[in-house]
Amino acid sequence: MLNLDTLNPEQRDAVETIRGPVLILAGAGTGKTRVITFRIAHMVERGIAPDNILAVTFTNKAAREMLERVNQLIPRDARPKTQDPDQKPARPTISTFHSLCVRILRQHIEKLGYKRNFVIYDEAEQLGAIKKILANISAKGEQTDPRAVLGLLSKFKNGGAQAEAAFKDPNVSALAEHVRKKYESALKACNAVDFDDLILLTLRLFTEHPDALDACRARFRYVMVDEYQDTNAAQFQLVHALTQKHRNLCVVGDDDQSIYGWRGAEVANLLDLEKHFPEVKVVKLEQNYRSTNTILQAANAVIKNNARRRGKNLWSQNGQGAKIQLQAFENEEAEARTVAETVEFKRMTKRVPWGDQAILFRTNLQSRPIEMELRKAGIRYHLIGGQSFFDRREVRDFLAYVKTFLNPHDDVSLLRIANVPARGLSDVTMERLLAASQERHCSVFTAMRHTDVQAGFQTRTREAVQEFIGFVEETRAKLADETLAARPDALQQWAEKFLNETGYWGELRRSEKNQENAENRIRSLRDLLATMDGDAVGKPLSDRLDEFLEDLTLDSEREEEKEAGDAVTLITMHSCKGLEYPHVYVVGLEEGLLPHARSKVEGTLDEERRLFYVAITRAKRELMISHCGGRKKYGQVMPCHPSSFLKELPKQLIEDADEKGKQPVTPASAKDLFAAMHAAIQ
């Protein structure tokens, strides 16, 4: 028998209310998943057939976790038996929106003129179809980014506020409509659909064939939707269609954690639920099981500044806890260095594992200085929700160039950059050169210099090989020029010059159809160049390059260690929802970053504040927030101002790090510190 005594009063109320519309407002860390799974188990225990229960969430991972928990709560022998002894006991349907629609369409899609064995196109296949369409409608020399068109089509299909904003321009709207018709025809000819189609075709099925809708309603009499604040217009319509008759809808969510407006989520679906279900019962979950009251009070104080929200006040029985550390730094390098030092200090003195610590930031570009400092300190980390700075194409290309100049016999590096940007050394040419090097038991660069090898190529290719050899040798000669060694920014200037001369900056711009992506790549590389010189003024450039690479390149042992479980988490604020860490560092709280510069133009300041709220509520025990007075952009330090959100934090909850550092060290505290550090290194 299910024991509901383990739930708090509000959780129990949510679990026991199984008929009619219910809105469970689940604040951060209030046991949302526990309530959902207990509610499903309770419904089965009360005699509701499991196959009449539908729970919808956004990720396969969340669906699997939910199903596992439900199976643990409902023993097999307690599940209703089927008439067929060979048939498995019925169980609730727990799935994502898309997998639910696939189930429905597999049964009924023939009514829409498709075959049941339809295929689902992935992004690469979608882009291929778009490229063919654009090739036929674009003027000569005109280039349209297929990814941008695909994004427009997605907005078009999913509707809602984003679509209205995107298609105000009649030219954009006309292009999208034209491409959409041809795109749909192309997919249908292949008996294919894309992910957006799964929901749209299901809605079309329900509209054109009410019998299919009636069948689904008869099957799914009790519907639950997790993370309801993240639903878009199409998903809302789907839920509404399924529940309009029986009205046994339970939605779970938190408007304060609605942070995906940029991808179509509409928080109004949750805020305005009473418009569609006037009789809805609202249950607030406000007892937090994750954080200290200091952290929760700070989060409450920030989020209350959003005017349109459902009021809630998070609290905890975990005690008041430590004050929030607020730190101001001169620049991002100082910020990153202090965070890395603090991470290691906590590990050494307080036995806090790396895995209990997380660093949160607004954009992926902010990870660069942090990754560099963590690497220098030998601290393991893993990056979630983005690509590691050191795995970015432009960074790997540049480092391959540097390695080639230092050692042209490094075949791996040379093969990577030989034709980047294009200089007449095609893949076929490089394959032949690699084969020649293997035959002669020498490096590719040595093989290139053999006149008999060159003679095997046509004139244009032979000239390209010779030009590349000359380029490498000339660059290596410049590195040996002692007159350049005295300049404090010699490496940066040298790198800027050769990247410009090779046309690499232009290559980055050409290779990215999205201009913003191109500029981000250029910025990330220029930010790296700005760190090259360090304090090694006077040393030969080649030696300084060696030191630069040594600081950046992890050896094989470090790479193996990186896979170990104990590692600091680096994560964007958008990716951290649903996660928690005992110790959290929120960096870059500056105007233009958080809130983002675009928020004032786009009217998304409330969502930026919600993003800060989500970041704060990831912390369980200790929270540090930092900002910088200057941050590099394209190698130039740009002045920064503290985020306006910092003013919303109650002063009594904040401890300025500088003030804390001024507190005298007592003999007792010094003794304790020494003992902790001594124990840590044993």
Side-chain angles (χ1 to χ4, degrees), residues 591-615:
E591 289 292 306
L593 273 178
L594 190 73
H596 198 278
R598 291 195 301 266
S599 63
K600 293 180 181 177
V601 178
E602 298 174 353
T604 55
L605 188 63
D606 282 5
E607 183 161 319
E608 292 290 297
R609 184 176 283 108
R610 291 196 290 267
L611 190 59
F612 185 35
Y613 173 85
V614 167

Side-chain angles (χ1 to χ4, degrees), residues 411 434 436-448 450:
D411 286 349
L434 182 60
S437 74
Q438 291 172 334
E439 289 172 3
R440 289 163 173 75
H441 304 287
C442 64
S443 69
V444 173
F445 189 72
T446 301
M448 281 179 151
H450 278 279

Side-chain angles (χ1 to χ4, degrees), residues 664-678:
V665 178
T666 65
S669 64
K671 185 178 179 181
D672 291 343
L673 179 61
F674 178 79
M677 293 188 70
H678 187 266

Side-chain angles (χ1 to χ4, degrees), residues 54 58 82 99 114 255 259 265 282 424 445 502 525 644:
L54 168 66
F58 278 84
T82 60
S99 56
Y114 292 80
D255 53 304
I259 58 174
V282 180
F445 189 72
T502 59
L525 187 49
S644 54

Side-chain angles (χ1 to χ4, degrees), residues 28 168 223 231 388 409 459 513 621:
K168 281 182 179 177
V223 178
T231 54
S388 170
H409 307 294
T459 303
K513 304 299 184 186
R621 288 166 46 193

Side-chain angles (χ1 to χ4, degrees), residues 330 590-591 593 627-632 637-643:
E330 182 180 352
E590 299 137 25
E591 289 292 306
L593 273 178
H627 61 91
C628 298
R631 194 171 291 273
K632 283 180 182 174
V637 178
M638 306 298 290
C640 299
H641 303 283
S643 170

